[in-house]
Amino acid sequence: MARSSSLSEAEAGISCFASSLPGFRGVLKHRYSDFIVHEVARDGTVVQLTSFDLPTECVDVKEEEKAAPSADADHSQALELFRALCGDADCDALRDFLERVAAGGDGDVSPVILSADADKAHRSEVHNFFKKNFKFLVTDTVEHTDGVQRCIRVRLGSGAGGARGGGGRGRGRKRKNMGGSDWRDDRPFDSRGSSNWSDHVGKFLRFHLYKENKDTQEALGVIGKMLGLQPRSFGFAGTKDKRAVTSQQVTVFKVRANKLAALNNRLFGIKVGNYCYVKEGLVLGQLMGNRFTITLRGVIAESEDVIKAAADGLGKNGFINYYGLQRFGSGSVPTHLVGAALLRGEWKAAVNLILDPREGDRDDINELRKHYKEHGDIDKTLRNFPRHLVAERSILQCLKKCPGNYLQALKGIPRTLRMMYVHSYQSYLWNHAASMRVEKYGISQVVEGDLVYNKESPPEESTPVNIPETDDEHTNSSEIDLCSEAQPEETIQSVKVVDSGDLLKGIYTFDDVVLPLPGSQALFPGNEVAEIYHEMAKKDGISLTENAHGVKEFSITSMKGGYRRVFQRPIDFQWELMTYTDDSSSLSETDLDVLSRTKPKEVNDLVTSDPQDRLEKASDASTATNGSSFLENKPTGSPDTIPRKLAIKLSFTLPASCYATMAIRELLKTSTSVAYQKTLSC
């Protein structure tokens, strides 16, 4: 059944609050700089962008340049081998490319695209051939113009000019020139990594990624394009919000810090720094949590006491640890409905849910969806679908190759993304179960039948839910929260069902209560809460104990399952009231604001974001209160008639996969849906 709007909180199972304290009005994310996120690394370090300095460890680039083969050397023997591998046409195209390179026009030499090649094993052989015989060239696999086939692109590698005797332009620059303007897009870093790398230097470059109003994949896509790297070359612990200012750790294999640093003066809304060479790259889930600084504007309450009580109450009482609405997508087709279709084995229905027209899409995209639904024109739809529609494009590419094979088309979606449909259905059940637990038994105590992590058994190693990394280029979608940071709570740990003896001992509190994400190794509670899982699944035509089909990855009984705490308190919680007059003024300092204040000369040439998003001063400076009284100080030179508005700034840390929006919902006692927040901004 088609929906006309996005999922509501009630439909997602989000219906309870941890306290009965009244809330107040406040606007969330009026500006993206009102939502600041700093990743907390596994060692407890808060990730911040604090420096653009290059690391002390250096790789001897000159040695590599000496060893690099010359572009104008005699390649006749290698070309004959290439002819045998790829045929006359590709060999002639490569020969012409090498002649243009040898002529000295490296800045103007366009890449050469080899013939379409559907054989992945053969493409790998071609890549390895270039790696062995043409080390100054870079190869990667790109999409054919028909949107379906694959081709190999050959282009000049970074620093090849030096290999031709060009003086090593772009390589070995002195540190003071690392951010110079001679860095160009047409000289990407070799995505295979450097072949000469000092043994004493870690093979991964770890850096801090600072981004404004961009999601993680988008930011890394921009950087990767400039360096000639595929997005999958980067490792990170978790995705971060798009409409926010965020800082997180990222790793990349065998890329020198100076190459990355040289991009800073051309990156819009993105900055990189705090470079360090390490031995291992990051993978999803390798973080402790996130530190949030959230400013709510346009605060209106019956009294200051109401605000103070609500803020103090959030810090003391915490919130119900729901999965936020982001988990279910922002469109009118919630991702858990796709997950339910997959679990039932309704492959065509799942494909239609992903491809059909939907409320909230851009008009041009919906026209394409309607055109495909009516005419089945895959070619036109593929040519015009934007690349951020990863799932849709993947499905259509597979259907073009295998018409009518809907299961194969679904498997064509990058694994991380397609599995999130099923995971969102687990989250949907969990949310409803959490609401039933709170409604039926309250939050003041543990009751018999609750599930808790076992405190009396020796600690066991947790087994995380297995979400393998994908080899596909894209793993994100604009409408789904991958929340890939990855559910550290979704692990198989030692849990037990609370019995009367446990209640007498009094060793468990409501903070210890967990609920399962259904799977073959997950226990259900020993009370009535277990019933809602099976009742809701049955309504959706799904069994949590039997397979409806033989496709394991789309079956709950083939997943291990896991547990998630029902209740969460914000960690290191702080808040303050602020007054302001201009809605466009920033009320919190970002990492770049701090650097601009402490190291202005270093930052001045790098700032390329909207100047209105920098910290404003003078007549619009905000004033803070300590939470006990309003300070009505007027900015110098402002007329007394200018009305001052009230904001509240909150700072707190949450474990990974906890949703800050659910903490804000508890504070305000209002919906966090985008539609509702837009009504407050009007």
Side-chain angles (χ1 to χ4, degrees):
M1 181 182 297
R3 296 173 55 92
S4 60
S5 61
S6 57
L7 196 70
S8 69
E9 286 189 345
E11 290 172 319
I14 304 169
S15 59
C16 294
F17 295 101
S19 79
S20 59
L21 290 168
F24 54 90
R25 169 182 161 141
V27 180
L28 176 64
K29 294 189 178 182
H30 175 75
R31 303 176 78 248
Y32 61 76
S33 58
D34 290 342
F35 203 92
I36 300 174
V37 186
H38 291 97
E39 187 172 270
V40 180
R42 276 193 164 181
D43 62 2
T45 303
V46 177
V47 177
Q48 296 175 291
L49 183 68
T50 60
S51 172
F52 296 114
D53 294 339
L54 294 173
T56 55
E57 302 94 336
C58 294
V59 179
D60 189 352
V61 297
K62 291 185 178 180
E63 288 301 314
E64 183 178 337
E65 287 175 3
K66 290 177 183 177
S70 173
D72 55 4
D74 183 5
H75 297 293
S76 56
Q77 185 175 355
L79 283 170
E80 288 307 309
L81 293 174
F82 182 71
R83 185 188 304 276
L85 180 64
C86 293
D88 293 341
D90 284 345
C91 181
D92 292 343
L94 179 61
R95 187 190 305 276
D96 177 66
F97 177 76
L98 291 173
E99 289 174 354
R100 285 184 285 128
V101 170
D106 58 294
D108 301 312
V109 177
S110 300
V112 60
I113 306 295
L114 303 183
S115 302
D117 189 349
D119 187 342
K120 186 174 181 180
H122 183 260
R123 293 200 305 269
S124 296
E125 191 176 353
V126 175
H127 287 304
N128 289 330
F129 177 86
F130 277 92
K131 185 175 181 180
K132 179 180 179 181
N133 296 280
F134 296 101
K135 293 185 177 181
F136 56 91
L137 300 180
V138 178
T139 63
D140 57 359
T141 301
V142 296
E143 195 176 84
H144 191 269
T145 53
D146 64 6
V148 176
Q149 299 186 83
R150 297 281 195 167
C151 305
I152 289 179
R153 175 174 58 181
V154 184
R155 50 189 171 162
L156 192 63
S158 172
R164 267 197 317 275
R169 183 173 58 194
R171 304 175 72 91
R173 291 191 293 265
K174 292 183 179 180
R175 191 171 285 195
K176 67 179 181 179
N177 293 323
M178 292 305 178
S181 60
D182 55 343
W183 177 265
R184 301 200 304 276
D185 278 335
D186 56 357
R187 299 172 64 86
F189 187 85
D190 189 337
S191 61
R192 296 185 300 257
S194 171
S195 58
N196 289 55
W197 197 268
S198 299
D199 292 336
H200 70 280
V201 176
K203 293 185 178 181
F204 289 88
L205 175 66
R206 186 179 68 202
F207 61 93
H208 291 184
L209 170 68
Y210 168 95
K211 60 183 183 64
E212 299 176 344
N213 204 30
K214 291 177 174 59
D215 62 42
T216 302
Q217 293 282 6
E218 179 185 359
L220 293 180
V222 171
I223 295 172
K225 184 177 181 180
M226 290 183 173
L227 293 177
L229 299 173
Q230 299 282 5
R232 63 174 177 261
S233 302
F234 298 95
F236 52 90
T239 57
K240 298 290 179 279
D241 301 73
K242 175 178 180 177
R243 188 163 176 77
V245 178
T246 72
S247 298
Q248 65 185 112
Q249 288 185 336
V250 177
T251 56
V252 62
F253 184 66
K254 283 189 175 181
V255 170
R256 299 196 183 92
N258 66 299
K259 297 295 182 185
L260 195 57
L263 305 181
N264 262 328
N265 64 342
R266 297 194 302 111
L267 289 170
F268 183 89
I270 306 169
K271 292 291 171 283
V272 291
N274 294 84
Y275 312 100
C276 177
Y277 293 108
V278 295
K279 293 182 178 179
E280 296 182 354
L282 286 168
V283 297
L284 295 175
Q286 288 186 333
L287 75 168
M288 183 177 290
N290 294 286
R291 180 74 182 171
F292 297 90
T293 302
I294 299 173
T295 303
L296 302 173
R297 296 175 185 254
V299 170
I300 299 175
E302 291 184 4
S303 68
E304 177 187 345
D305 290 338
V306 170
I307 302 172
K308 183 178 185 302
D312 289 341
L314 175 61
K316 179 181 178 181
N317 303 321
F319 59 96
I320 309 301
N321 194 23
Y322 290 119
Y323 287 97
L325 290 176
Q326 309 98 293
R327 183 70 154 181
F328 307 101
S330 59
S332 61
V333 180
T335 53
H336 78 281
L337 294 184
V338 181
L342 294 174
L343 292 170
R344 290 191 298 265
E346 298 174 356
W347 316 129
K348 185 176 181 180
V351 166
N352 289 339
L353 282 169
I354 295 170
L355 292 179
D356 280 356
R358 56 183 63 184
E359 186 78 19
D361 251 356
R362 284 178 5 208
D363 290 343
D364 59 331
I365 294 177
N366 254 341
E367 285 302 315
L368 286 168
R369 292 184 185 275
K370 291 176 184 176
H371 178 81
Y372 174 74
K373 186 176 179 67
E374 294 173 3
H375 305 286
D377 187 346
I378 292 179
D379 289 334
K380 178 180 178 179
T381 311
L382 265 178
R383 281 196 305 271
N384 293 283
F385 258 168
R387 292 192 175 274
H388 73 263
L389 298 179
V390 178
E392 289 87 340
R393 291 181 59 84
S394 300
I395 287 173
L396 291 174
Q397 287 167 351
C398 289
L399 287 178
K400 182 167 183 176
K401 294 178 183 177
C402 307
N405 193 336
Y406 297 104
L407 174 58
Q408 192 62 36
L410 289 163
K411 287 187 173 183
I413 301 172
R415 179 172 172 80
T416 309
L417 178 54
R418 71 177 183 260
M419 290 309 299
M420 287 309 300
Y421 293 122
V422 178
H423 292 157
S424 68
Y425 188 77
Q426 290 177 299
S427 304
Y428 168 76
L429 294 181
W430 190 97
N431 274 2
H432 282 278
S435 289
M436 180 182 179
R437 168 60 180 82
V438 174
E439 289 169 357
K440 190 168 187 66
Y441 301 114
I443 64 170
S444 61
Q445 59 185 358
V446 175
V447 300
E448 194 167 343
D450 274 338
L451 283 178
V452 293
Y453 287 126
N454 196 342
K455 292 182 178 180
E456 295 185 306
S457 66
E460 301 177 7
E461 184 175 349
S462 302
T463 305
V465 172
N466 185 25
I467 308 178
E469 292 180 71
T470 174
D471 288 331
D472 298 275
E473 178 178 353
H474 300 285
T475 59
N476 205 351
S477 170
S478 63
E479 286 193 354
I480 185 170
D481 167 33
L482 294 183
C483 199
S484 311
E485 55 196 47
Q487 314 145 19
E489 80 289 350
E490 295 177 22
T491 56
I492 303 303
Q493 299 182 12
S494 176
V495 299
K496 66 168 296 180
V497 178
V498 173
D499 56 30
S500 57
D502 296 317
L503 296 179
L504 288 173
K505 292 177 184 176
I507 61 174
Y508 295 107
T509 69
F510 184 68
D511 292 46
D512 302 310
V513 176
V514 299
L515 284 172
L517 291 138
S520 61
Q521 296 184 25
L523 295 176
F524 286 99
N527 51 37
E528 294 180 43
V529 177
E531 297 174 8
I532 194 170
Y533 283 95
H534 299 284
E535 289 175 0
M536 296 197 68
K538 186 176 181 180
K539 287 180 182 178
D540 292 327
I542 295 168
S543 171
L544 300 181
T545 58
E546 297 179 2
N547 287 334
H549 49 75
V551 184
K552 288 187 175 181
E553 68 177 290
F554 297 143
S555 172
I556 280 185
T557 56
S558 297
M559 303 170 69
K560 293 179 179 179
Y563 303 97
R564 179 180 178 91
R565 294 186 186 275
V566 177
F567 181 75
Q568 180 64 50
R569 284 188 175 86
I571 303 164
D572 297 329
F573 180 74
Q574 299 174 333
W575 65 274
E576 62 176 331
L577 289 172
M578 313 177 74
T579 59
Y580 65 100
T581 58
D582 187 346
D583 289 335
S584 66
S585 63
S586 293
L587 302 181
S588 298
E589 277 193 316
T590 66
D591 289 352
L592 201 56
D593 290 328
V594 174
L595 276 168
S596 298
R597 176 166 48 80
T598 58
K599 302 178 180 179
K601 184 177 294 187
E602 195 173 339
V603 174
N604 187 51
D605 293 335
L606 301 180
V607 176
T608 55
S609 57
D610 186 347
Q612 286 217 343
D613 287 327
R614 302 275 55 85
L615 190 66
E616 297 189 11
K617 302 178 182 179
S619 63
D620 239 358
S622 60
T623 59
T625 79
N626 61 9
S628 61
S629 63
F630 295 102
L631 297 182
E632 295 295 340
N633 298 344
K634 307 290 189 230
T636 303
S638 290
D640 290 342
T641 56
I642 297 179
R644 299 195 66 80
K645 303 176 184 180
L646 186 64
I648 183 170
K649 182 164 70 174
L650 312 154
S651 298
F652 54 89
T653 300
L654 294 177
S657 91
C658 291
Y659 288 77
T661 51
M662 294 297 97
I664 300 304
R665 173 182 176 272
E666 178 70 35
L667 176 73
L668 301 180
K669 299 296 192 295
T670 57
S671 172
T672 58
S673 70
V674 174
Y676 178 77
Q677 289 298 316
K678 283 183 178 178
T679 66
L680 298 182
S681 299
C682 294

